[in-house]
Amino acid sequence: MRKRIQIDGVWFVEEQTIEQDFDVTFSYQACSGIFDFMVLLTDCGAVMTDTGSVTAYVKGRDKEPEYWDNTEWLIDVRDGIKTSFENDLTTEQLSELQNLLIAVTEKGWV
């Protein structure tokens, strides 16, 4: 039987703590520092499906970043299908993002 306690007529069950001795995230960063790509790993080090995301610091690292985590959309950006952004990336920034997405695809992260 699980450990329980009743307080004011409400039953509570003791929670179990799961201890992890590993870091479950791995980060890959583009050279210019404008885009960070992050993917989650399993405890065995395998990439978890559809966990890749881009953190975009288009307005600078001291400003609020944008987070892009739609894998299909990122693939479209990589392949040049989606190239219009609300924040109007420059041609160089778009090229850098596409190069980053190509690099992480080659690593099997996308």
Side-chain angles (χ1 to χ4, degrees), residues 10-94:
V10 178
W11 284 98
F12 295 89
V13 178
E14 181 181 30
E15 295 181 356
Q16 281 188 329
T17 302
I18 300 173
E19 294 186 25
Q20 297 178 345
D21 60 351
F22 57 89
D23 186 5
V24 295
T25 59
F26 184 85
S27 178
Y28 183 84
Q29 183 174 344
C31 294
S32 76
I34 295 174
F35 301 106
D36 290 347
F37 185 90
M38 185 170 288
V39 66
L40 298 178
L41 303 175
T42 66
D43 56 350
C44 298
V47 174
M48 295 174 69
T49 306
D50 290 330
T51 62
S53 66
V54 171
T55 304
Y57 297 92
V58 178
K59 297 173 185 162
R61 289 243 176 217
D62 59 337
K63 306 290 185 205
E64 187 69 28
E66 294 184 33
Y67 301 97
W68 304 327
D69 61 0
N70 182 316
T71 302
E72 292 178 17
W73 183 81
L74 291 172
I75 290 170
D76 287 347
V77 171
R78 178 200 64 197
D79 296 342
I81 297 170
K82 304 268 184 185
T83 57
S84 61
F85 295 87
E86 289 180 63
N87 55 8
D88 297 323
L89 294 178
T90 66
T91 304
E92 293 81 17
Q93 290 170 334
L94 178 59

